[in-house]
Each structure stands twice: as C-alpha cells, then as structure tokens.
Amino acid sequence: MAHFTEAEREILLRSFPNGIVALDLETTGLSPLIDKVIELSAIKVTPYGEDVFDELIDPKIEIPKFTIDIHGITNDMVQGKRTLDKVLPEFINFIGSLPLVAHNAKFDLGFIVFGMHQIGLPLHESHVYCSCKFSRYALRGSTNFKLSTLTTELEIPLENHHRALDDAIACLKVYERGLRVFKKPDRKILNEGHLFKLKDFDKQDDFEIPKKLKPLQDKVKDQEMIEIKYRGGSLKNQFRPIRPISFLPMPQGNMLYAHCLVSDMYKSFSLKKIAELRELSDEQKNELKAKMVKK
C-alpha cells in the first residue's frame, strides 16, 4: 500500500533526491537518558518507492499508566517482543545514510543516538531534520505547530495519533506540504529544518547525568517546578524557577529541556552549567502556577 502520491514523492525527492526517512517513537517518558523506547517505526521514500519499518519493543520495565493513556501501548502488547539492542541495528541498516526527519526530532533522535551509544553502533553521516522546526518557517499561518494541529489544518489523515508509524507518515506529509510552498527549495530553505548530523554526536562521549543533578530525575518525571542556578544566560549565576521536561543528549553535551518560568519560554540548559538546585516552597509553587494561568 502506497502512503504517498506520485506528486508528494516528486516534491520530497526534489529536495532529497536519494530519498528520506521519517521516523517516530513511542516511549515510557520524554527523557532519552532515563526512559525507554516501546515502539520504533519509519517510512522510507526513495526514487524506487516506499518501505516501512514498524516494531514494538520490550522495554523490560513497566510502562507508566500516564503514557499508556497517551499511546495505548500496554505491557501485555510489548511483553516478549525484541529489545532495543536487537531492533536498533536493523533500523540503522534500514535508514542507511539517508536524511532523517521527525516531529520534535531532538527527542526521537536522542533515544536513537543514546541507544546506538549503549550498544556501540557507529554513527554515520545522516542529516537530521525537524518537521516542527521547518513548519514554523514554511507554514507560519498555522494555529500552532503540534502534529495534530498541523494535520488537521492541512487536511492530512492521522487516524492513530501517538502510534509511531501513523505519526511518522503524517510528519513526512507535513514536511512535504512545507516544501510545496517553495517552487525551488534551495539549501538555505532546507537548513530551516536542519538540526544536526548523527556524526556530530561523535564528540559527545558522556551520556551520564551528574550525581549532583540526580534529584532532577524525579522532578523531570513529574514535571515538578524547581529552581536552578545556571552559569549562563541573562540570569547568569542567579536562581531561576523552571518546570523540567526532559534530559536530552545533544552534540554539544547533555541538556535539560525545561519551561523557564521567568521568560515563559522553553529552553535547553547545559547540564554542565547547572551549578545548584533549590526546592520551591508550596507557596512559591502556587504563586508561579497562578501567574501561568493568568498568561
């Protein structure tokens, strides 16, 4: 079954002549450095046609109920399936050196890169693109840039949102719609969606969370507000309240992705530059929550 029309394939191959792979993961949580993959799927479009990769994965831990409520993948569904260390080499062979695209690709590729690091797979030259980032440039009139919103507004079918294969296909269709805006996409336009190359992670050899930041793991899990003293940014060496969301590996080092409650922006904080943590009182948390509601 073909998921893309000839016209859609032509537009994708105009910018990616050797082909492109869109991927999506379902996981036990948002942090590649501490959570586990439970589904890995991809759609590959090349001059020779389409190919699909679609695997449920046994994480060897209990899947939290709050994530089951999102994707519907239960512990029974993954029990006895292959583990990521068995599936990932096949997936890397499937993608070859083709460019990759995902929606909010930092998260998906964080799991892939960390998994490759854990089992000793060599990183290659694949370029990584983000359909969310590219949509902010190419589809500026959208209400927001969530995959579900973009597919609704662009009338792209998405029957099983938060299942990996359906989301991967939708992600690539969104990217194609963004490319369709431009008569002749050049390298500058493509760079608007570009994040990094897998090979860039060769410089990153430490995927550990520093011991002094271990208390952040529970905060990330519950997205519970806390203050960090950060050696950088406009509030250099001052405490700032944040709502932590994820630990992300990046080529320049491990990051804490968080909602900064001072700027009301989502930012990445280098773990190496977080000097200190400080708990917030219940009163402070309530005050911050009240401010967020007003905004």
Side-chain angles (χ1 to χ4, degrees), residues 31-49:
S31 291
L33 297 180
I34 55 178
D35 293 310
K36 304 296 181 183
V37 178
I38 56 175
E39 189 173 41
L40 169 56
S41 302
I43 177 87
K44 177 164 62 177
V45 175
T46 72
Y48 308 103

Side-chain angles (χ1 to χ4, degrees), residues 78-119:
V78 299
Q79 188 175 15
K81 300 293 184 182
R82 293 190 298 165
T83 51
L84 185 64
D85 61 314
K86 300 295 190 297
V87 173
L88 196 51
E90 290 183 15
F91 178 71
I92 298 304
N93 186 58
F94 173 83
I95 65 177
S97 59
L98 289 176
L100 305 170
V101 61
H103 206 72
N104 292 314
K106 288 180 183 179
F107 291 90
D108 297 86
L109 271 298
F111 282 97
I112 297 295
V113 168
F114 185 46
M116 293 174 74
H117 169 77
Q118 286 184 304
I119 61 178

Side-chain angles (χ1 to χ4, degrees), residues 221 250 262 280 294:
K221 180 181 175 182
M250 293 293 290
V262 175
L280 289 163
K294 287 179 181 178

Side-chain angles (χ1 to χ4, degrees), residues 137-279:
Y137 172 74
L139 303 169
R140 297 177 189 178
S142 300
T143 303
N144 61 55
F145 300 94
K146 296 177 181 178
L147 186 61
S148 57
T149 302
L150 290 167
T151 53
T152 298
E153 294 185 352
L154 296 170
E155 298 182 346
I156 294 170
L158 181 54
E159 293 181 11
N160 297 302
H161 187 26
H162 295 303
R163 287 305 301 267
L165 183 58
D166 292 72
D167 283 357
I169 293 167
C171 154
L172 191 52
K173 284 183 177 284
V174 165
Y175 214 96
E176 183 272 333
R177 293 296 180 88
L179 291 170
R180 196 185 294 185
V181 172
F182 308 100
K183 291 184 179 179
K184 287 187 177 180
D186 55 23
R187 179 50 52 187
K188 180 179 179 298
I189 290 168
L190 287 183
N191 282 344
E192 295 294 337
H194 187 262
L195 292 181
F196 42 69
K197 292 191 296 183
L198 287 184
K199 192 76 173 174
D200 293 342
F201 282 88
D202 269 350
K203 306 165 192 172
Q204 160 67 306
D205 59 0
D206 180 13
F207 289 85
E208 292 295 319
I209 299 168
K211 187 178 292 185
K212 69 177 181 180
L213 300 182
K214 292 290 186 182
L216 269 176
Q217 290 193 24
D218 287 337
K219 304 296 182 185
V220 166
K221 180 181 175 182
D222 300 326
Q223 295 192 14
E224 182 183 341
M225 290 181 284
I226 192 171
E227 285 190 315
I228 61 170
K229 183 186 282 189
Y230 191 65
R231 294 193 294 263
S234 58
L235 298 175
K236 187 174 182 179
N237 294 323
Q238 299 178 50
F239 278 100
R240 70 174 82 196
I242 62 162
R243 183 172 60 85
I245 295 170
S246 175
F247 288 112
L248 286 173
M250 293 293 290
Q252 64 270 40
N254 296 328
M255 298 285 175
L256 174 68
Y257 184 69
H259 181 192
C260 175
L261 302 176
V262 175
S263 64
D264 194 26
M265 294 177 65
Y266 289 85
K267 297 182 176 182
S268 294
F269 299 94
S270 170
L271 296 192
K272 293 177 182 178
K273 292 184 179 181
I274 299 176
E276 196 176 338
L277 307 175
R278 188 167 71 183
E279 294 283 348

